[in-house]
Every structure is written in C-alpha cells, then in structure tokens.
Amino acid sequence: MMQQTSTEQLSIERPVDEKGAKRGQWTYADYLRLPNDGKRYEIINGVLYMANAPSYNHQFAVTKLARLLDEHVDQHKLGVVLVAPFEIHLSETAKPVQPDVFFIPAERQPKMGDKYFEGAPDLIIEVISPSAIRTDRYIKFAAYELAGVREYWLVDPRLRFIEVYTRSSDTAEYELEGQFVRREQLHSTVLPDLVLTVDSVFVPLPT
C-alpha cells in the first residue's frame, strides 16, 4: 500500500462538532455564525463537514480540470465552470455544499453579485483526498443524486482514474458511465463534445 505524503495528511474532511449546534442538527443559520478561518465547511443532512487545505496533487487536478472544462464551455458558450469555495444550496438538507469543480448551464448561470447558487449544477466533480473517500463516495454521492445533479465525477489523483456517474431518467439513481484511466479519453453525457485525456489532469509521473 502506498504511504500517504505529509501534504496529503493535511487534508481533513470529517464531521465536526462546533459551538452553536448539536451533531446532526446543523442549519444554514448555524453555518453563517462559523468563523471565517479559511476552512471549507459544508452541511449535509444536519452534519457539519470541514476540510482543511488540500494537497498539491489534489489542487493540481482541480486546476487542470477547471481550466480544461472552462475552455470548452467558454468556446461553445455553454454556461460557466466554477471552483470551491462557492456555496451551492442543493436543498434544505444539503446547504451549503462546496464541490471542487462544477458546471452550470447558461440558462441557470448565477448573476453578477450572487453569493451562492440555488439548485443542482448539471455536473459536479470531486477530487478525492485520502481522508475524504467516504464523504465523496457515499455522503456527497447520495446528496448529489437526490438533488438531481445530472453527472458526477470522482477523480482520484493517487490511483489516477476518473469515474463518471450519470443520473438515470428512469430510476433517478446514478449509474456508472465508466472508469477511465491513463491515456483513455473520458466520455461525458453533459458535455458530449468535450475531449479530455485522463493523464492530462494529474501531476506528470517521473520519467
């Protein structure tokens, strides 16, 4: 098993107990009373989650994905690509969430001065940190599925793959579109003309 680096161990995403609300009873009003301390806070089903500064590998992937998607979306005037920190109010039970990268189509694009987006983006991408695997794979997976996010990508910088899930119109549940690795080109239902090679979003391997 690969050893986690010290920078990866700095990334923490876990349920936390803070003054102001009992575990499992957090509301958006409680969130607004939290200190502006540079941490990323999210509330899902009444539980407060906190993430510290992520690793270099994580942020490299986030930056690459955001840039590649933004170039494609901007070129075709499809909408807007944004990154955390920015609040998304998915529902009363998932408010706020702050995905790593997300796409909102032009007809629902936030307006100048908006402090949050209310509703489900068409595409959400989470780059997995070692400490956030359970949160991204299960807790956020279920929240995004329930809220109607059409497509969800799970990006793993350590194992160097991208999983793409699309929401079935028949069952309203996520189905695995594919797990893409190395030199494979990813397929997206939301952005069908996007050309993205998996290796291009990760830190280059030593030669």
Side-chain angles (χ1 to χ4, degrees), residues 8 13 63 121 149 153 160 184 204:
E8 286 174 328
E13 187 164 329
T63 303
V149 176
W153 299 6
R160 304 176 74 87
E184 291 182 342

Side-chain angles (χ1 to χ4, degrees), residues 9-29:
Q9 291 168 338
L10 289 174
S11 177
I12 301 170
E13 187 164 329
R14 60 176 185 271
V16 294
D17 293 310
E18 296 277 352
K19 293 180 181 178
K22 293 181 180 179
R23 177 82 174 269
Q25 297 181 17
W26 276 85
T27 66
Y28 186 65

Side-chain angles (χ1 to χ4, degrees), residues 115-126:
K115 294 184 177 180
Y116 60 85
F117 174 76
E118 189 162 359
D122 276 22
L123 167 64
I124 283 181
I125 304 172
E126 295 286 6

Side-chain angles (χ1 to χ4, degrees), residues 13 24 30 46-47 57 60 65 115 123 126 139 150 152 157 171 178 180 194:
E13 187 164 329
D30 298 318
V47 178
N57 288 0
F60 186 98
L65 284 161
K115 294 184 177 180
L123 167 64
E126 295 286 6
I139 296 168
R150 291 177 55 200
Y152 180 37
T171 65
F180 302 92
L194 175 70

Side-chain angles (χ1 to χ4, degrees), residues 68-70 72-73 76 123 153 185-188 191-196:
L68 291 168
L69 265 66
D70 182 66
H72 174 78
V73 166
H76 298 281
L123 167 64
W153 299 6
Q185 286 193 351
L186 177 148
H187 171 71
S188 168
L191 301 172
D193 296 323
L194 175 70
V195 177
L196 190 154

Side-chain angles (χ1 to χ4, degrees), residues 74-152:
D74 189 56
Q75 179 182 357
H76 298 281
K77 297 180 172 53
L78 300 175
V80 64
V81 175
L82 297 174
V83 299
F86 184 74
E87 293 183 23
I88 294 176
H89 296 184
L90 283 178
S91 66
E92 286 302 314
T93 58
K95 174 183 175 179
V97 293
Q98 301 194 56
D100 289 320
V101 184
F102 53 97
F103 161 68
I104 301 170
E107 62 270 19
R108 297 192 295 124
Q109 190 169 321
K111 298 178 178 62
M112 183 180 296
D114 283 354
K115 294 184 177 180
Y116 60 85
F117 174 76
E118 189 162 359
D122 276 22
L123 167 64
I124 283 181
I125 304 172
E126 295 286 6
V127 178
I128 298 173
S129 295
S131 59
I133 294 174
R134 179 176 176 273
T135 305
D136 291 336
R137 278 204 172 276
Y138 301 105
I139 296 168
K140 290 185 176 180
F141 185 103
Y144 298 159
E145 180 182 68
L146 183 63
V149 176
R150 291 177 55 200
E151 190 166 292
Y152 180 37

